[in-house]
Amino acid sequence: MTEFRRGYGAAPWHLLLLLGCFAVTGWIALRLSGEPAAGRMLLWFLGAVIVHDLFLFPVYALADRMLRAAMGRPDRRCALNHVRVPALASGLLLLVYLPGILGLGGDTYTDASGLTPQPLLTRWLTVSAVIFAVSAMLYALRRRRPRDAGSRPVTRR
């Protein structure tokens, strides 16, 4: 097992998980190959990769660097993930809700769901606020708890 880990660079479960991901990706590619809109889907996928790598990644990397600098001391940086995770979740939800928020495809949305897209902005803002509030509560609970076993009183028998 040690030789496998040294040769591969990770545990065997990692290789199995990676092979499973490739199998699912291959299955999806085979299913989409017969679709008439497969070319447009591929174009959207490639566009998303390019927009992410050339625009979004530098923007959120810079935002993260500024957030770390604003946190100051390394002992205060434990709060960083309590901002990162809800911001990521809120950003991903924005990507999902953005066409409806902008009013794109309103007829399609209404035909498919029977609802209007007007409340999507309010719903996204509400869900984002709840995600940040839960993260803030978890951070507050984390700060109240003793940091490690060394900070608790020692009882001798």
Side-chain angles (χ1 to χ4, degrees), residues 46-130:
L46 292 175
V49 168
I50 290 169
V51 166
H52 174 267
D53 290 351
L54 294 180
F55 177 70
L56 292 178
F57 179 74
V59 167
Y60 62 73
L62 179 64
D64 186 63
R65 185 171 293 205
M66 290 174 13
L67 189 61
R68 277 188 287 144
M71 290 289 181
R73 301 186 322 249
D75 61 329
R76 291 176 52 195
R77 289 192 183 160
C78 68
L80 195 58
N81 286 335
H82 289 276
V83 175
R84 282 179 179 159
V85 172
L88 175 66
S90 180
L92 290 174
L93 283 173
L94 177 63
L95 287 177
V96 170
Y97 280 112
L98 191 61
I101 291 170
L102 296 177
L104 304 174
D107 294 336
T108 305
Y109 180 80
T110 302
D111 292 343
S113 66
L115 304 171
T116 62
Q118 277 80 20
L120 292 179
L121 176 61
T122 307
R123 290 177 185 166
W124 171 71
L125 289 172
T126 303
V127 169
S128 295
V130 168

Side-chain angles (χ1 to χ4, degrees), residues 146-155:
R147 293 192 183 211
D148 58 7
S151 65
R152 294 185 186 132
V154 177
T155 56

